[in-house]
Amino acid sequence: MRKMRVAVLISGRGSNMEALVKAAQAPDYPAEIVLVLANKEDATGLEIARALGVRAEAVASKPYGRDREAHERAVDARLREAGVELVCLAGYMRLLTPYLVRRWAGRMLNIHPSLLPAFPGLDTHQRAIEAGVGEHGCTVHLVTEGMDEGPVLGQARVPVLPGDTEDALAARVLAQEHRLYPAMLAEQARKILLSEG
Ligand code: GAR
């Protein structure tokens, strides 16, 4: 079976991107990471991707100011030029406009650090601790126009322990993110490849 051509969009440290790149190095993995794009030139993850031999570039959002769609048009152009077929958002801290979401409908995945629909948005670990929930985790979902709302592809759960700090809980969840995301990308890529016949 051929491999799907995947791009990973990041804004910062890129540890989920790294997990995806490493998983995709396995010969039988159904996807290859052909491009890593960041919306900031200084995203640490860009260097990590390059060190792993992956093409990594920035399409800086700053010059576009408030025109989010204009920035997305530039991002989309890079994705198309690189022959990308599926996009993974991995700590990409931009609210998307309907433009990019529609361009990649059914072909854009996101990882979110909570058990959606609980705790959409930011500061999920602190909010989980404050809410007193016994269980927390992460979700991989398809991206739709509502923020953190698309169909759930999979979740991983962790316990919230007595005396947990935000950092301790975040680290426990992150370890699960690094397992869940490569598994869900593989599943989605296989599904699309099979549907092509
Ligand atoms: C991850 O925990 C990811 O789930 C979260 O940002 C972190 C990025 O870390 N994403 C969101 O909060 C999206 N709203 P990474 O850059 O090391 O992968």
Side-chain angles (χ1 to χ4, degrees):
M1 196 186 268
R2 76 177 186 90
K3 291 174 184 271
M4 287 224 94
R5 295 175 64 80
V6 173
V8 185
L9 269 52
I10 63 169
S11 294
R13 98 194 131 170
S15 71
N16 276 289
M17 173 278 297
E18 185 175 352
L20 292 170
V21 169
K22 288 184 172 163
Q25 285 169 346
D28 60 345
Y29 196 81
E32 57 182 322
I33 311 302
V34 296
L35 181 65
V36 171
L37 279 188
N39 65 307
K40 299 172 182 173
E41 307 273 358
D42 62 353
T44 335
L46 288 175
E47 282 310 318
I48 294 170
R50 287 176 193 133
L52 289 165
V54 179
R55 181 159 147 203
E57 298 166 10
V59 178
S61 45
K62 214 168 182 177
Y64 294 91
R66 291 191 180 174
D67 195 348
R68 290 189 287 138
E69 188 177 312
H71 174 249
E72 289 178 358
R73 285 182 186 279
V75 168
D76 189 61
R78 288 298 306 110
L79 296 172
R80 306 279 164 188
E81 275 162 27
V84 169
E85 304 173 279
L86 189 63
V87 175
C88 289
L89 307 182
Y92 189 64
M93 306 310 269
R94 299 275 299 171
L95 275 179
L96 300 185
T97 78
Y99 168 77
L100 200 65
V101 174
R102 286 178 192 161
R103 293 280 284 166
W104 291 93
R107 289 189 173 228
M108 185 180 272
L109 278 55
N110 181 43
I111 188 152
H112 182 77
S114 77
L115 296 172
L116 290 172
F119 311 119
L122 299 175
D123 301 324
T124 56
H125 308 304
Q126 187 59 36
R127 285 158 62 209
I129 290 170
E130 281 165 13
V133 294
E135 215 178 29
H136 186 46
C138 52
T139 302
V140 171
H141 64 95
L142 285 171
V143 175
T144 55
E145 287 180 37
M147 188 188 67
D148 301 331
E149 274 183 12
V152 170
L153 300 176
Q155 294 185 313
R157 292 164 188 278
V158 303
V160 181
L161 302 176
D164 250 344
T165 61
E166 184 180 2
D167 286 352
L169 184 54
R172 197 174 307 127
V173 172
L174 193 65
Q176 293 306 311
E177 294 186 40
H178 296 164
R179 269 185 350 96
L180 181 70
Y181 211 173
M184 293 302 102
L185 170 59
E187 202 174 285
Q188 201 61 16
R190 280 201 188 95
K191 202 167 125 190
I192 296 172
L193 288 169
L194 283 173
S195 74
E196 288 176 349

